[in-house]
Amino acid sequence: MTAMAAPRAAATVGTARRRSRPGRRFVLNAVVIFIMFLWLIPTFGMLFNSFRSPADVASTGWWTSIVPPWRFNLDNYVHVLNTNGMGTAFVNSLFITIPSTIIPIAVAAFAAYAFSWMQFPGRDVLFVVVVALLVIPLQTTFVPLLKLLGPQGIHLIGPGVGSFVAVWLAHTGYGLPFAIYLLRNYMGGLPREVFESAAIDGAGQATSFFRLAIPMSVPALAALAIFQFLFVWNDLLVALIYIGAANAPNLPLTVTVANLSNSLGGEWQYLMAAAFLTMLLPVVVFFSLQRYFVRGITGGAVKG
Amino acid sequence: MSFSLGFRRAAVLLASAAIMVGACGGGASPSASTGGGGGSPGASPAGSGGQVGGSVTVIGTWGGSEQDSFLAMVKPFEDSTGIKVQYTGTRDLNAVLTTGVQSGILPDLAGLPGPGQMSEWAKAGALKPLDDVLDVATYKSETAPALVDLGTVDGIFIKAAVKGLIWFDPKVYTAGPATTWDDLESKGAAAATAAGGNTKPWCLALESGAASGWPGTDWIEDLVLRQAGPDVYDKWVAGTQTWTSPEIKTAFETFGKVVSESYGGPKAINSTNFGDGGNQLFKTPPGCIFHHQASFITDFFKKQGGAKDGDFDFFPFPDINSQYAGAVEGAGDLFGMFNDTPQARALIKYLVTADAQKIWVGRGGALSANKNANNYPDDVSKRSAAILTSAKIFRFDASDLMPTAMNDAFWKAIVSYVQDSSKLDSILTNLDTVQKSAYGG
């Protein structure tokens, strides 16, 4: 998203200084476009290869396919779309991703507000602890969490239960440290005067939170929503460990897609087509949240 | 006023969150009725044709067409018993099962790619013994003897592969099977010269992600087995034969000769994916004459090398020391049972039968562990299967039997040896150090 936001910022800068440095805007845009192009080269390669036969991919580079004679075909996409269980897996992915995005952001917003604008003993120590949790690799949590959530504990995982709630809880836990950190930094940067004048007018903490902090933090919330959505949508390991062993019909798209190739790594040609299909929804989510960045920048909330 | 408005909104938020959680809890319960059926205590072990119902969860590494073949194999079982087979395929099998053994969340059955890891779980008590599930005498009589020797208690073999086949293009190489190592070398060199250009006797490709180097371990294993014999091989697997010993070092040196006679040089060898390794066989002029790989490689020849049936053929790895003639190396997929349910027992019983395995065999891409499943769709797989069942000396893939740390170090050693063969002594000394700690636990 920085790549998308950057041209706008560049444009604003360029407009302000156009008269003094006429070539600046052009150079800036050219550099940004060039960097974006470099960044996208592997994606182009994947796109072209997804339309080629495996024998072609193995024998020549993807760039050779751009010039005629074209030998593109849709076989890979047809295979992926006709694979059994793709539809169910897509629904499962949504069913995992949406709550796993909403819950941590909701919790993190409350926590970030408390860390920024409420006074209580041990506030800074608690915040440091939360941030310190960022460095814990989630793989180390699997066994203790599975014991807690599994049949030996509160039994949210295992044969007979869907395991979805366990996955939401797990993703909430894994997402919270970063979410709280990001939101606290943003909320802490909001102007103190706004909250003070609201308090003088008789607003309590709840009003301050819902009517001031949340509306003013929309850009940060939107950014966080994209991060968390992508993290959960692309997640293979957590879903596999928490759902995999006992609830095969509930597995998300990532697991189904990874399993399009066989145990020796063959049949990889379908993965590129599948990658493009699974990319669609995150792209839609990104563009639908995109406008909130712009509104956040130009909203003028800071002026009060 | 404004406070109550904000509060009301908060209440609505909380309420909707509660509804969502409630709804999802409900959404999860339908699967409870299907998944939970596994526990019905009265159900007797399934006789053939008896409707048992319920479900059995299975995890394995098979994906793509392998997954399709496995599901096709269990379809008649589902139809006749009413048991639903819920299969999860993932190449992260070890992660799922290792955490599962710790936390108790395990599938009923698991298809495991080798007996090394399986014996560890059996020792930990996670795998249930199968000797009272199966008719062991029938299993022994129907299964390739080489595989039976590897044990019947913890897991049973479903699928097998023969390693160390020498592949060639019959249009390019016409000199017939090599009978000794010297014969192989001279025939390969002669054919390479005859093909002209830059043709080399061998093709070799080692890249395989984190497992890069494994095709080279197969080379070393084939050489050790035929140069030094099965006893040294067994000691080597068990960790009592040092890597610096002359037997293992000789195998590395022979392999080094092959590397120096391979197409593309060390960099290309280490960076070419093993699946593309044989593609040079089918080029004009060919890049190489021979390619050493297991029986499954035909699938890659056809799908990535652009070869058709008839474009490739093989002969078995020649004997080196006549004392150990007829030695063969192979591998196989095992099935183990984690949860002892009537459904899991029924499926295990079904999977070992020739009728079940014929389904996969007929679809191609696999050798059956069951001698009676012999409906191979093409001549090449029929002959590979014959090698497996008629082997005089059979050994399982050594690196798959070694502890994980040893196996990883073996892979890496192959890659560094191909990169710089002059460092052989330090590479082997390092492997000895790993050997001391890897077998310690």
Side-chain angles (χ1 to χ4, degrees):
Chain A
M1 90 215 48
T2 40
M4 299 302 290
R8 294 229 174 229
T12 331
V13 172
T15 320
R17 299 189 179 176
R18 189 183 298 164
R19 213 164 281 165
S20 56
R21 296 182 183 178
R24 193 187 168 97
R25 182 182 176 185
F26 174 77
V27 172
L28 211 58
N29 282 352
V31 167
V32 167
I33 288 169
F34 177 70
I35 292 172
M36 277 171 54
F37 178 75
L38 278 186
W39 203 255
L40 284 174
I41 283 179
T43 317
F44 285 135
M46 202 166 81
L47 179 67
F48 284 113
N49 274 346
S50 71
F51 290 103
R52 302 171 76 206
S53 73
D56 283 357
V57 173
S59 57
T60 54
W62 61 267
W63 53 90
T64 58
S65 69
I66 302 172
V67 291
W70 290 297
R71 287 155 58 91
F72 295 127
N73 62 66
L74 286 171
D75 294 355
N76 296 338
Y77 286 87
V78 171
H79 177 91
V80 170
L81 291 173
N82 285 333
T83 300
N84 273 339
M86 272 296 162
T88 324
F90 181 79
V91 174
N92 287 342
S93 267
L94 282 179
F95 202 62
I96 290 169
T97 308
I98 294 173
S100 299
T101 306
I102 294 172
I103 301 171
I105 291 178
V107 176
F110 284 109
Y113 178 81
F115 278 128
S116 331
W117 299 110
M118 288 168 77
Q119 300 293 333
F120 55 92
R123 188 179 81 164
D124 292 341
V125 174
L126 259 180
F127 184 64
V128 168
V129 169
V130 168
V131 173
L133 289 175
L134 275 172
V135 299
I136 296 182
L138 63 86
Q139 288 87 343
T140 61
T141 65
F142 284 156
V143 171
L145 260 184
L146 283 172
K147 281 185 179 169
L148 177 71
L149 297 171
Q152 302 171 10
I154 55 179
H155 204 181
L156 288 173
I157 304 180
V161 291
S163 300
F164 280 125
V165 180
V167 176
W168 298 341
L169 289 177
H171 275 304
T172 303
Y174 297 141
L176 269 182
F178 178 70
I180 293 174
Y181 175 71
L182 190 106
L183 283 182
R184 197 221 84 104
N185 283 352
Y186 194 89
M187 282 191 191
L190 296 174
R192 174 173 295 275
E193 295 81 3
V194 177
F195 290 94
E196 279 173 354
S197 52
I200 290 166
D201 288 345
Q205 298 287 13
T207 314
S208 290
F209 175 72
F210 283 110
R211 310 206 65 183
L212 297 174
I214 289 291
M216 285 196 288
S217 303
V218 163
L221 291 171
L224 190 58
I226 289 174
F227 271 124
Q228 183 68 12
F229 185 92
L230 282 182
F231 175 73
V232 180
W233 183 261
N234 290 333
D235 163 73
L236 172 96
L237 193 60
V238 174
L240 190 62
I241 300 283
Y242 286 77
I243 301 179
N247 282 300
N250 292 353
L251 283 168
L253 208 49
T254 44
V255 177
T256 315
V257 164
N259 222 34
L260 285 168
S261 67
N262 66 31
S263 62
L264 296 160
E267 300 170 63
W268 43 261
Q269 66 269 23
Y270 305 124
L271 296 180
M272 289 174 290
F276 270 93
L277 293 173
T278 53
M279 207 189 268
L280 288 178
L281 188 72
V283 167
V284 168
V285 168
F286 173 76
F287 280 109
S288 56
L289 290 179
Q290 159 92 15
R291 63 198 184 96
Y292 290 103
F293 297 120
V294 183
R295 183 185 290 175
I297 292 163
T298 56
V302 183
K303 278 285 177 189
Chain B
M1 274 303 282
S2 72
F3 175 84
S4 73
L5 191 64
F7 182 78
R8 206 180 301 157
R9 199 178 290 175
V12 170
L13 252 176
L14 282 177
S16 57
I19 288 166
M20 201 169 64
V21 170
C24 297
S29 57
S31 70
S33 54
T34 52
S40 55
S44 59
S48 56
Q51 286 285 324
V52 180
S55 67
V56 52
T57 51
V58 179
I59 196 166
T61 54
W62 302 315
S65 53
E66 298 164 331
Q67 178 174 347
D68 296 341
S69 295
F70 176 72
L71 293 178
M73 181 159 88
V74 298
K75 185 80 182 34
F77 169 80
E78 291 186 305
D79 292 345
S80 68
T81 59
I83 298 172
K84 183 98 187 71
V85 176
Q86 296 184 336
Y87 174 73
T88 307
T90 172
R91 282 190 271 164
D92 293 316
L93 184 79
N94 269 356
V96 176
L97 291 180
T98 309
T99 51
V101 167
Q102 296 285 321
S103 64
I105 304 162
L106 284 163
D108 298 333
L109 299 175
L112 307 159
Q117 187 77 63
M118 198 187 68
S119 61
E120 285 176 33
W121 288 324
K123 262 183 238 153
L127 279 170
K128 304 282 180 286
L130 294 175
D131 41 4
D132 66 330
V133 177
L134 291 170
D135 179 0
V136 176
T138 315
Y139 173 71
K140 280 186 174 165
S141 68
E142 287 185 344
T143 308
L147 296 174
V148 173
D149 294 344
L150 290 163
T152 52
V153 177
D154 306 321
I156 46 146
F157 278 94
I158 301 291
K159 241 182 97 179
V162 179
K163 298 222 162 189
L165 303 179
I166 312 282
W167 297 92
F168 58 89
D169 181 342
K171 289 193 294 299
V172 176
Y173 175 79
T174 48
T179 47
T180 66
W181 180 252
D182 294 336
D183 188 27
L184 178 69
E185 285 203 306
S186 60
K187 278 179 172 164
T193 318
N198 295 321
T199 309
K200 297 273 185 159
W202 291 101
C203 265
L204 188 59
L206 300 179
E207 195 278 325
S208 181
S212 288
W214 71 256
T217 67
D218 287 0
W219 257 110
I220 304 287
E221 289 153 13
D222 271 326
L223 290 165
V224 168
L225 183 58
R226 291 173 180 84
Q227 285 175 338
D231 292 341
V232 171
Y233 189 93
D234 291 342
K235 278 165 69 189
W236 182 44
V237 167
T240 52
Q241 176 87 22
T242 58
W243 293 79
T244 43
S245 64
E247 290 90 343
I248 309 295
K249 193 178 172 183
T250 312
F252 267 89
E253 282 164 351
T254 315
F255 173 60
K257 193 143 182 300
V258 170
V259 171
S260 69
E261 292 167 358
S262 288
Y263 177 82
K267 238 184 207 155
I269 291 170
N270 273 339
S271 61
T272 306
N273 184 267
F274 74 93
D276 296 331
N279 293 0
Q280 288 295 334
L281 291 173
F282 313 112
K283 292 272 177 346
T284 357
C288 58
I289 303 299
F290 296 136
H291 184 49
H292 167 272
Q293 194 47 279
S295 49
F296 62 74
I297 197 70
T298 55
D299 209 37
F300 288 90
F301 287 165
K302 285 193 263 189
K303 286 183 182 146
Q304 275 156 244
K308 292 180 285 295
D309 278 321
D311 284 351
F312 51 85
D313 201 357
F314 75 91
F315 55 82
F317 202 98
D319 298 324
I320 298 177
N321 185 333
S322 56
Q323 210 183 325
Y324 313 118
V328 173
E329 191 203 329
D333 290 338
L334 298 106
F335 248 82
M337 183 166 76
F338 284 112
N339 295 325
D340 191 352
T341 67
Q343 288 82 357
R345 282 169 170 261
L347 184 56
I348 284 272
K349 277 185 183 165
Y350 168 77
L351 286 175
V352 292
T353 61
D355 285 341
Q357 297 195 22
K358 270 180 182 167
I359 296 172
W360 194 327
V361 164
R363 293 170 63 98
L367 303 184
S368 173
N370 192 315
K371 284 187 282 192
N372 299 334
N374 49 9
N375 54 327
Y376 292 99
D378 55 82
D379 186 49
V380 165
S381 40
K382 189 171 276 174
R383 279 167 49 219
S384 322
I387 292 177
L388 181 74
T389 46
S390 65
K392 288 201 195 82
I393 302 168
F394 180 91
R395 284 297 178 271
F396 202 86
D397 188 311
S399 57
D400 286 353
L401 292 171
M402 291 174 184
T404 317
M406 191 74 253
N407 194 5
D408 286 353
F410 194 1
W411 290 337
K412 290 200 180 74
I414 294 289
V415 174
S416 3
Y417 179 57
V418 167
Q419 228 155 36
D420 185 357
S421 57
S422 68
K423 289 195 184 137
L424 180 58
D425 284 321
S426 72
I427 289 170
L428 292 177
T429 313
N430 178 44
L431 285 172
D432 272 350
T433 318
V434 177
Q435 191 184 49
K436 280 195 195 89
S437 59
Y439 291 85

